[in-house]
Amino acid sequence: MDKEILLHAFRIMVTVRCMAETYEANRQICKYVHATSRGHEAIQIATAFQLLPCDYVSPYYRDESLLLGLDFSPYTLMLQLLAKGEDIFTGGREYYIHPNYRGEDKPTIIHQSSATGMQAIPSTGIAQGLQYLKFINSSLYKKSNDGKPPIVICSLGDASLTEGEVSEAFQFAVLKKLPIIYLVQDNDWGISVSADEARTMNASEFALGFKGMKHISVDGSDFFQSYEVMKNVVNDVRENYQPFLVHAKVPLLGHHTSGVRKEFYRSPEDLALHAANDPLPKLKKQLLESGIDENDLNKIESLVEKEVVQHFANAVAAAEPDPSKVAEHIFAQTTVTEETGERSPEGNEKVIMVDAALFAIREIMEQYPEAILFGQDVGRRLGGVFREAATLAEQFGDHRVFNTAIQEAYIIGSTVGLCATGVKPIVEVQFGDYIYPGINQLISEVAKSYYLSCGKFPVQTVIRVPVGAYGGGGPYHSGCVETLLLSIKGIKIAYPSNAADMKGLMKAAFLDPNPVIMLEHKGLYWSKVPGTEDAKSIEPNSVYALPLGKGNIVLNADKQKIKNGESCCIITYGMGVYWAKAAAKNFNDQIEIIDLRTLFPLDEELVFLTVKKHGKCLVLTEEQQNNSFAEALAARITKGCFKFLDAPVEVLGALNLPAVPMNIFLEKAMLPNAEKVIQLINKLLNY
């Protein structure tokens, strides 16, 4: 092996040791939780040395040596350790060794979370994106200067393999033959849980269950062996474009983290066993045996010790983050700020909501070759269980519109990696009731990516979620989930109630550089539910876009009735619009109805102006009422409009039951309807 490579590896290992000793000696200064890579150095450095700037890598929280191997300086890492303002990764917002990076000189690193194993799905999404861009011969597909194709490294601890989402990633990778290497670093510990308590097999044995996954085991404490294995594996994946799992057996020499010290739970015998396998003295011995002068190695150690001390002093002296900037990078700036195009072009016919969505996506895919659509049953054979993707696969091909397995976590989480490559995914979760397996990815990865990467990795995706009761759908196909989703910061949520809004919001959602969830009421898709005929509308033209955060007045009250104090307003969305309109027919122009259209961002200005005008307000929702978004909105209205209110703000939602019953009569008893709305309007008007 080249002498310079060996000396560079030795230098990094010495650096890692000195950094760990420095942190341990300055525990009061290093107050934020952190983990070091002691024991894992050899395999991490060997991996880093194989990577090119065109590649992608997703480290996990112990991959300090990997980052040093990519030529990030100790000072750079220490800035994150101490959560300093100059931290190039997250500006003091993230833990140590939670990097993200986008530059021409190093591999790309998407936002890394602390949730164990969660990076497997976004990283596999990167490989999916690379494969797609290569297939369509996109200019976004970047090779190395000498023409080598990009690959992805996903680094994992051995304990993470028991996570179900890791299996989802593996399954998709082997199914699609993606160019990704899963590097599993096995130190036999998951905090205090030992390997024999947690699993019956190691990572290499586990890989046998995924047909098409190549795998190999390596002594990850031996740099020579690790380097040769990683060189061969990386070359194999570059050439053959298929997934590979590397199981690296390593010792754990440091604490699990600074907050969970090894003496708390590990026996002296276990600690001694691991210490005997330390990669640094092992490499030094091999270097001496290969003829490298010991004085040269001693000089390196002496020089590195001084450098680390200086790096740490500089990092300690660095400025803290500016608190006034804590709210920066929540959302990327959208270009759709005004309604554009024609909403009701002359000559166009009325369309139903489900077709409006279909036509919007068709126009998007015609214009943007990087747009893809996938989810359960949206492919060629069925085109969606509601026919919401019908004919799209025939028109655009199975590489752009395709089915997935029942993998809500993968469907949602892969969008992070896809977007990092430049692909623009539109994905679908089949029913709102089944979004829960994807919530982990939505919260940990999708919603936090832009904020924790300080704007480097926005997630431009549309997540379609059919929701709502529609007559006998039962407890697992009728739920509304907006309150749950609205508790997640960093995503936007649209909820159209008619075809024109559906098309306009779908276009705006796609063009928005942030994650947008489209909640689409199944009962409005075809206007088959009695009273929802108005959900049909003239199809807008192909450039129509409706900005998120703009509500709509769907029914005006008589000005004289307002002046006389004989009116009230209803703030609602989705199916609530039609219950409100049906109820309003029983009152003589006394009712004004606001359709929110977007739940976040919310058109608070329109809501408050309307409530202040009438002094009486009903917030109407299909969700179970207690602790709902509707109740939270009512509280905001009360606070913002208190001096203008003539009555308490009323809220009407579904009964507070655990689920929507199957029987249509029980379902009706649970849900709001026009009759229930009429009762509350009478109460408000007579207050």
Side-chain angles (χ1 to χ4, degrees), residues 35-54:
T36 73
S37 58
R38 288 289 286 120
H40 294 229
E41 300 99 322
I43 187 64
Q44 291 182 19
I45 297 167
T47 300
F49 285 0
Q50 314 306 322
L51 297 179
L52 304 171
C54 64

mmCIF file with all atom_site columns, all heavy atoms in Angstrom, residues 35-54:
data_model
loop_
_atom_site.group_PDB
_atom_site.id
_atom_site.type_symbol
_atom_site.label_atom_id
_atom_site.label_alt_id
_atom_site.label_comp_id
_atom_site.label_asym_id
_atom_site.label_entity_id
_atom_site.label_seq_id
_atom_site.pdbx_PDB_ins_code
_atom_site.Cartn_x
_atom_site.Cartn_y
_atom_site.Cartn_z
_atom_site.occupancy
_atom_site.B_iso_or_equiv
_atom_site.pdbx_formal_charge
_atom_site.auth_seq_id
_atom_site.auth_comp_id
_atom_site.auth_asym_id
_atom_site.auth_atom_id
_atom_site.pdbx_PDB_model_num
ATOM 1   N N   . ALA A 1 35 ? -20.259 11.677 20.961 1.00 0.00 ? 35 ALA A N   1
ATOM 2   C CA  . ALA A 1 35 ? -19.622 10.363 20.899 1.00 0.00 ? 35 ALA A CA  1
ATOM 3   C C   . ALA A 1 35 ? -18.375 10.493 20.038 1.00 0.00 ? 35 ALA A C   1
ATOM 4   O O   . ALA A 1 35 ? -18.337 11.295 19.100 1.00 0.00 ? 35 ALA A O   1
ATOM 5   C CB  . ALA A 1 35 ? -20.569 9.331  20.302 1.00 0.00 ? 35 ALA A CB  1
ATOM 6   N N   . THR A 1 36 ? -17.362 9.713  20.353 1.00 0.00 ? 36 THR A N   1
ATOM 7   C CA  . THR A 1 36 ? -16.147 9.711  19.533 1.00 0.00 ? 36 THR A CA  1
ATOM 8   C C   . THR A 1 36 ? -16.060 8.403  18.757 1.00 0.00 ? 36 THR A C   1
ATOM 9   O O   . THR A 1 36 ? -16.821 7.463  18.993 1.00 0.00 ? 36 THR A O   1
ATOM 10  C CB  . THR A 1 36 ? -14.883 9.877  20.402 1.00 0.00 ? 36 THR A CB  1
ATOM 11  O OG1 . THR A 1 36 ? -14.641 8.665  21.124 1.00 0.00 ? 36 THR A OG1 1
ATOM 12  C CG2 . THR A 1 36 ? -15.037 11.036 21.372 1.00 0.00 ? 36 THR A CG2 1
ATOM 13  N N   . SER A 1 37 ? -15.106 8.347  17.849 1.00 0.00 ? 37 SER A N   1
ATOM 14  C CA  . SER A 1 37 ? -14.971 7.175  16.976 1.00 0.00 ? 37 SER A CA  1
ATOM 15  C C   . SER A 1 37 ? -13.894 6.207  17.444 1.00 0.00 ? 37 SER A C   1
ATOM 16  O O   . SER A 1 37 ? -13.517 5.297  16.700 1.00 0.00 ? 37 SER A O   1
ATOM 17  C CB  . SER A 1 37 ? -14.654 7.623  15.546 1.00 0.00 ? 37 SER A CB  1
ATOM 18  O OG  . SER A 1 37 ? -13.470 8.398  15.517 1.00 0.00 ? 37 SER A OG  1
ATOM 19  N N   . ARG A 1 38 ? -13.417 6.360  18.656 1.00 0.00 ? 38 ARG A N   1
ATOM 20  C CA  . ARG A 1 38 ? -12.335 5.492  19.143 1.00 0.00 ? 38 ARG A CA  1
ATOM 21  C C   . ARG A 1 38 ? -12.722 4.017  19.066 1.00 0.00 ? 38 ARG A C   1
ATOM 22  O O   . ARG A 1 38 ? -13.724 3.589  19.634 1.00 0.00 ? 38 ARG A O   1
ATOM 23  C CB  . ARG A 1 38 ? -11.962 5.876  20.570 1.00 0.00 ? 38 ARG A CB  1
ATOM 24  C CG  . ARG A 1 38 ? -11.205 7.191  20.682 1.00 0.00 ? 38 ARG A CG  1
ATOM 25  C CD  . ARG A 1 38 ? -9.774  7.085  20.145 1.00 0.00 ? 38 ARG A CD  1
ATOM 26  N NE  . ARG A 1 38 ? -8.926  6.341  21.080 1.00 0.00 ? 38 ARG A NE  1
ATOM 27  C CZ  . ARG A 1 38 ? -8.298  5.218  20.780 1.00 0.00 ? 38 ARG A CZ  1
ATOM 28  N NH1 . ARG A 1 38 ? -8.393  4.678  19.579 1.00 0.00 ? 38 ARG A NH1 1
ATOM 29  N NH2 . ARG A 1 38 ? -7.540  4.610  21.689 1.00 0.00 ? 38 ARG A NH2 1
ATOM 30  N N   . GLY A 1 39 ? -11.905 3.276  18.330 1.00 0.00 ? 39 GLY A N   1
ATOM 31  C CA  . GLY A 1 39 ? -12.153 1.868  18.065 1.00 0.00 ? 39 GLY A CA  1
ATOM 32  C C   . GLY A 1 39 ? -12.655 1.619  16.657 1.00 0.00 ? 39 GLY A C   1
ATOM 33  O O   . GLY A 1 39 ? -12.451 0.543  16.091 1.00 0.00 ? 39 GLY A O   1
ATOM 34  N N   . HIS A 1 40 ? -13.319 2.633  16.078 1.00 0.00 ? 40 HIS A N   1
ATOM 35  C CA  . HIS A 1 40 ? -13.902 2.513  14.738 1.00 0.00 ? 40 HIS A CA  1
ATOM 36  C C   . HIS A 1 40 ? -13.030 3.173  13.671 1.00 0.00 ? 40 HIS A C   1
ATOM 37  O O   . HIS A 1 40 ? -13.437 3.234  12.504 1.00 0.00 ? 40 HIS A O   1
ATOM 38  C CB  . HIS A 1 40 ? -15.282 3.172  14.713 1.00 0.00 ? 40 HIS A CB  1
ATOM 39  C CG  . HIS A 1 40 ? -16.317 2.502  15.561 1.00 0.00 ? 40 HIS A CG  1
ATOM 40  N ND1 . HIS A 1 40 ? -17.568 2.178  15.085 1.00 0.00 ? 40 HIS A ND1 1
ATOM 41  C CD2 . HIS A 1 40 ? -16.318 2.099  16.858 1.00 0.00 ? 40 HIS A CD2 1
ATOM 42  C CE1 . HIS A 1 40 ? -18.289 1.624  16.051 1.00 0.00 ? 40 HIS A CE1 1
ATOM 43  N NE2 . HIS A 1 40 ? -17.536 1.567  17.146 1.00 0.00 ? 40 HIS A NE2 1
ATOM 44  N N   . GLU A 1 41 ? -11.860 3.659  14.048 1.00 0.00 ? 41 GLU A N   1
ATOM 45  C CA  . GLU A 1 41 ? -11.094 4.507  13.140 1.00 0.00 ? 41 GLU A CA  1
ATOM 46  C C   . GLU A 1 41 ? -10.728 3.830  11.824 1.00 0.00 ? 41 GLU A C   1
ATOM 47  O O   . GLU A 1 41 ? -10.848 4.432  10.747 1.00 0.00 ? 41 GLU A O   1
ATOM 48  C CB  . GLU A 1 41 ? -9.790  4.976  13.825 1.00 0.00 ? 41 GLU A CB  1
ATOM 49  C CG  . GLU A 1 41 ? -10.011 5.781  15.088 1.00 0.00 ? 41 GLU A CG  1
ATOM 50  C CD  . GLU A 1 41 ? -9.861  4.941  16.336 1.00 0.00 ? 41 GLU A CD  1
ATOM 51  O OE1 . GLU A 1 41 ? -10.302 3.754  16.311 1.00 0.00 ? 41 GLU A OE1 1
ATOM 52  O OE2 . GLU A 1 41 ? -9.313  5.432  17.329 1.00 0.00 ? 41 GLU A OE2 1
ATOM 53  N N   . ALA A 1 42 ? -10.258 2.603  11.882 1.00 0.00 ? 42 ALA A N   1
ATOM 54  C CA  . ALA A 1 42 ? -9.676  1.967  10.691 1.00 0.00 ? 42 ALA A CA  1
ATOM 55  C C   . ALA A 1 42 ? -10.689 1.834  9.561  1.00 0.00 ? 42 ALA A C   1
ATOM 56  O O   . ALA A 1 42 ? -10.423 2.228  8.417  1.00 0.00 ? 42 ALA A O   1
ATOM 57  C CB  . ALA A 1 42 ? -9.102  0.600  11.054 1.00 0.00 ? 42 ALA A CB  1
ATOM 58  N N   . ILE A 1 43 ? -11.849 1.284  9.851  1.00 0.00 ? 43 ILE A N   1
ATOM 59  C CA  . ILE A 1 43 ? -12.844 1.083  8.795  1.00 0.00 ? 43 ILE A CA  1
ATOM 60  C C   . ILE A 1 43 ? -13.385 2.413  8.285  1.00 0.00 ? 43 ILE A C   1
ATOM 61  O O   . ILE A 1 43 ? -13.647 2.566  7.084  1.00 0.00 ? 43 ILE A O   1
ATOM 62  C CB  . ILE A 1 43 ? -13.986 0.156  9.285  1.00 0.00 ? 43 ILE A CB  1
ATOM 63  C CG1 . ILE A 1 43 ? -14.926 -0.191 8.131  1.00 0.00 ? 43 ILE A CG1 1
ATOM 64  C CG2 . ILE A 1 43 ? -14.750 0.783  10.439 1.00 0.00 ? 43 ILE A CG2 1
ATOM 65  C CD1 . ILE A 1 43 ? -14.285 -0.992 7.014  1.00 0.00 ? 43 ILE A CD1 1
ATOM 66  N N   . GLN A 1 44 ? -13.510 3.391  9.168  1.00 0.00 ? 44 GLN A N   1
ATOM 67  C CA  . GLN A 1 44 ? -14.027 4.684  8.732  1.00 0.00 ? 44 GLN A CA  1
ATOM 68  C C   . GLN A 1 44 ? -13.044 5.404  7.817  1.00 0.00 ? 44 GLN A C   1
ATOM 69  O O   . GLN A 1 44 ? -13.419 5.956  6.779  1.00 0.00 ? 44 GLN A O   1
ATOM 70  C CB  . GLN A 1 44 ? -14.346 5.554  9.954  1.00 0.00 ? 44 GLN A CB  1
ATOM 71  C CG  . GLN A 1 44 ? -15.527 5.068  10.774 1.00 0.00 ? 44 GLN A CG  1
ATOM 72  C CD  . GLN A 1 44 ? -15.833 5.984  11.941 1.00 0.00 ? 44 GLN A CD  1
ATOM 73  O OE1 . GLN A 1 44 ? -15.416 7.141  11.975 1.00 0.00 ? 44 GLN A OE1 1
ATOM 74  N NE2 . GLN A 1 44 ? -16.582 5.473  12.910 1.00 0.00 ? 44 GLN A NE2 1
ATOM 75  N N   . ILE A 1 45 ? -11.778 5.402  8.197  1.00 0.00 ? 45 ILE A N   1
ATOM 76  C CA  . ILE A 1 45 ? -10.771 6.064  7.367  1.00 0.00 ? 45 ILE A CA  1
ATOM 77  C C   . ILE A 1 45 ? -10.620 5.335  6.034  1.00 0.00 ? 45 ILE A C   1
ATOM 78  O O   . ILE A 1 45 ? -10.539 5.963  4.964  1.00 0.00 ? 45 ILE A O   1
ATOM 79  C CB  . ILE A 1 45 ? -9.421  6.119  8.108  1.00 0.00 ? 45 ILE A CB  1
ATOM 80  C CG1 . ILE A 1 45 ? -9.549  6.953  9.381  1.00 0.00 ? 45 ILE A CG1 1
ATOM 81  C CG2 . ILE A 1 45 ? -8.331  6.696  7.206  1.00 0.00 ? 45 ILE A CG2 1
ATOM 82  C CD1 . ILE A 1 45 ? -8.369  6.811  10.330 1.00 0.00 ? 45 ILE A CD1 1
ATOM 83  N N   . ALA A 1 46 ? -10.616 4.014  6.084  1.00 0.00 ? 46 ALA A N   1
ATOM 84  C CA  . ALA A 1 46 ? -10.510 3.224  4.852  1.00 0.00 ? 46 ALA A CA  1
ATOM 85  C C   . ALA A 1 46 ? -11.663 3.527  3.911  1.00 0.00 ? 46 ALA A C   1
ATOM 86  O O   . ALA A 1 46 ? -11.485 3.584  2.681  1.00 0.00 ? 46 ALA A O   1
ATOM 87  C CB  . ALA A 1 46 ? -10.484 1.739  5.199  1.00 0.00 ? 46 ALA A CB  1
ATOM 88  N N   . THR A 1 47 ? -12.836 3.739  4.458  1.00 0.00 ? 47 THR A N   1
ATOM 89  C CA  . THR A 1 47 ? -14.008 4.074  3.641  1.00 0.00 ? 47 THR A CA  1
ATOM 90  C C   . THR A 1 47 ? -13.860 5.457  3.034  1.00 0.00 ? 47 THR A C   1
ATOM 91  O O   . THR A 1 47 ? -14.080 5.655  1.830  1.00 0.00 ? 47 THR A O   1
ATOM 92  C CB  . THR A 1 47 ? -15.282 4.005  4.493  1.00 0.00 ? 47 THR A CB  1
ATOM 93  O OG1 . THR A 1 47 ? -15.430 2.681  5.025  1.00 0.00 ? 47 THR A OG1 1
ATOM 94  C CG2 . THR A 1 47 ? -16.508 4.373  3.671  1.00 0.00 ? 47 THR A CG2 1
ATOM 95  N N   . ALA A 1 48 ? -13.484 6.420  3.861  1.00 0.00 ? 48 ALA A N   1
ATOM 96  C CA  . ALA A 1 48 ? -13.362 7.798  3.382  1.00 0.00 ? 48 ALA A CA  1
ATOM 97  C C   . ALA A 1 48 ? -12.376 7.909  2.235  1.00 0.00 ? 48 ALA A C   1
ATOM 98  O O   . ALA A 1 48 ? -12.590 8.671  1.281  1.00 0.00 ? 48 ALA A O   1
ATOM 99  C CB  . ALA A 1 48 ? -12.941 8.706  4.532  1.00 0.00 ? 48 ALA A CB  1
ATOM 100 N N   . PHE A 1 49 ? -11.293 7.145  2.296  1.00 0.00 ? 49 PHE A N   1
ATOM 101 C CA  . PHE A 1 49 ? -10.249 7.235  1.281  1.00 0.00 ? 49 PHE A CA  1
ATOM 102 C C   . PHE A 1 49 ? -10.710 6.741  -0.093 1.00 0.00 ? 49 PHE A C   1
ATOM 103 O O   . PHE A 1 49 ? -10.042 6.994  -1.096 1.00 0.00 ? 49 PHE A O   1
ATOM 104 C CB  . PHE A 1 49 ? -9.016  6.435  1.718  1.00 0.00 ? 49 PHE A CB  1
ATOM 105 C CG  . PHE A 1 49 ? -8.192  7.104  2.797  1.00 0.00 ? 49 PHE A CG  1
ATOM 106 C CD1 . PHE A 1 49 ? -8.562  8.336  3.323  1.00 0.00 ? 49 PHE A CD1 1
ATOM 107 C CD2 . PHE A 1 49 ? -7.037  6.500  3.270  1.00 0.00 ? 49 PHE A CD2 1
ATOM 108 C CE1 . PHE A 1 49 ? -7.804  8.947  4.314  1.00 0.00 ? 49 PHE A CE1 1
ATOM 109 C CE2 . PHE A 1 49 ? -6.255  7.104  4.259  1.00 0.00 ? 49 PHE A CE2 1
ATOM 110 C CZ  . PHE A 1 49 ? -6.650  8.327  4.780  1.00 0.00 ? 49 PHE A CZ  1
ATOM 111 N N   . GLN A 1 50 ? -11.831 6.045  -0.163 1.00 0.00 ? 50 GLN A N   1
ATOM 112 C CA  . GLN A 1 50 ? -12.323 5.532  -1.451 1.00 0.00 ? 50 GLN A CA  1
ATOM 113 C C   . GLN A 1 50 ? -13.276 6.502  -2.149 1.00 0.00 ? 50 GLN A C   1
ATOM 114 O O   . GLN A 1 50 ? -13.609 6.310  -3.318 1.00 0.00 ? 50 GLN A O   1
ATOM 115 C CB  . GLN A 1 50 ? -13.074 4.201  -1.250 1.00 0.00 ? 50 GLN A CB  1
ATOM 116 C CG  . GLN A 1 50 ? -12.390 3.193  -0.354 1.00 0.00 ? 50 GLN A CG  1
ATOM 117 C CD  . GLN A 1 50 ? -10.974 2.874  -0.778 1.00 0.00 ? 50 GLN A CD  1
ATOM 118 O OE1 . GLN A 1 50 ? -10.672 2.791  -1.964 1.00 0.00 ? 50 GLN A OE1 1
ATOM 119 N NE2 . GLN A 1 50 ? -10.098 2.703  0.210  1.00 0.00 ? 50 GLN A NE2 1
ATOM 120 N N   . LEU A 1 51 ? -13.721 7.537  -1.426 1.00 0.00 ? 51 LEU A N   1
ATOM 121 C CA  . LEU A 1 51 ? -14.824 8.351  -1.927 1.00 0.00 ? 51 LEU A CA  1
ATOM 122 C C   . LEU A 1 51 ? -14.355 9.511  -2.795 1.00 0.00 ? 51 LEU A C   1
ATOM 123 O O   . LEU A 1 51 ? -13.268 10.062 -2.605 1.00 0.00 ? 51 LEU A O   1
ATOM 124 C CB  . LEU A 1 51 ? -15.655 8.863  -0.765 1.00 0.00 ? 51 LEU A CB  1
ATOM 125 C CG  . LEU A 1 51 ? -16.339 7.765  0.066  1.00 0.00 ? 51 LEU A CG  1
ATOM 126 C CD1 . LEU A 1 51 ? -17.127 8.363  1.213  1.00 0.00 ? 51 LEU A CD1 1
ATOM 127 C CD2 . LEU A 1 51 ? -17.241 6.905  -0.817 1.00 0.00 ? 51 LEU A CD2 1
ATOM 128 N N   . LEU A 1 52 ? -15.220 9.898  -3.723 1.00 0.00 ? 52 LEU A N   1
ATOM 129 C CA  . LEU A 1 52 ? -14.962 10.976 -4.665 1.00 0.00 ? 52 LEU A CA  1
ATOM 130 C C   . LEU A 1 52 ? -15.972 12.101 -4.443 1.00 0.00 ? 52 LEU A C   1
ATOM 131 O O   . LEU A 1 52 ? -17.043 11.879 -3.872 1.00 0.00 ? 52 LEU A O   1
ATOM 132 C CB  . LEU A 1 52 ? -15.083 10.454 -6.097 1.00 0.00 ? 52 LEU A CB  1
ATOM 133 C CG  . LEU A 1 52 ? -14.200 9.257  -6.460 1.00 0.00 ? 52 LEU A CG  1
ATOM 134 C CD1 . LEU A 1 52 ? -14.585 8.720  -7.840 1.00 0.00 ? 52 LEU A CD1 1
ATOM 135 C CD2 . LEU A 1 52 ? -12.721 9.639  -6.409 1.00 0.00 ? 52 LEU A CD2 1
ATOM 136 N N   . PRO A 1 53 ? -15.664 13.307 -4.908 1.00 0.00 ? 53 PRO A N   1
ATOM 137 C CA  . PRO A 1 53 ? -16.601 14.418 -4.716 1.00 0.00 ? 53 PRO A CA  1
ATOM 138 C C   . PRO A 1 53 ? -17.989 14.182 -5.324 1.00 0.00 ? 53 PRO A C   1
ATOM 139 O O   . PRO A 1 53 ? -18.967 14.779 -4.870 1.00 0.00 ? 53 PRO A O   1
ATOM 140 C CB  . PRO A 1 53 ? -15.895 15.587 -5.409 1.00 0.00 ? 53 PRO A CB  1
ATOM 141 C CG  . PRO A 1 53 ? -14.445 15.264 -5.291 1.00 0.00 ? 53 PRO A CG  1
ATOM 142 C CD  . PRO A 1 53 ? -14.371 13.768 -5.448 1.00 0.00 ? 53 PRO A CD  1
ATOM 143 N N   . CYS A 1 54 ? -18.093 13.310 -6.300 1.00 0.00 ? 54 CYS A N   1
ATOM 144 C CA  . CYS A 1 54 ? -19.394 13.045 -6.920 1.00 0.00 ? 54 CYS A CA  1
ATOM 145 C C   . CYS A 1 54 ? -20.258 12.119 -6.064 1.00 0.00 ? 54 CYS A C   1
ATOM 146 O O   . CYS A 1 54 ? -21.451 11.948 -6.332 1.00 0.00 ? 54 CYS A O   1
ATOM 147 C CB  . CYS A 1 54 ? -19.230 12.444 -8.309 1.00 0.00 ? 54 CYS A CB  1
ATOM 148 S SG  . CYS A 1 54 ? -18.423 10.822 -8.322 1.00 0.00 ? 54 CYS A SG  1
#
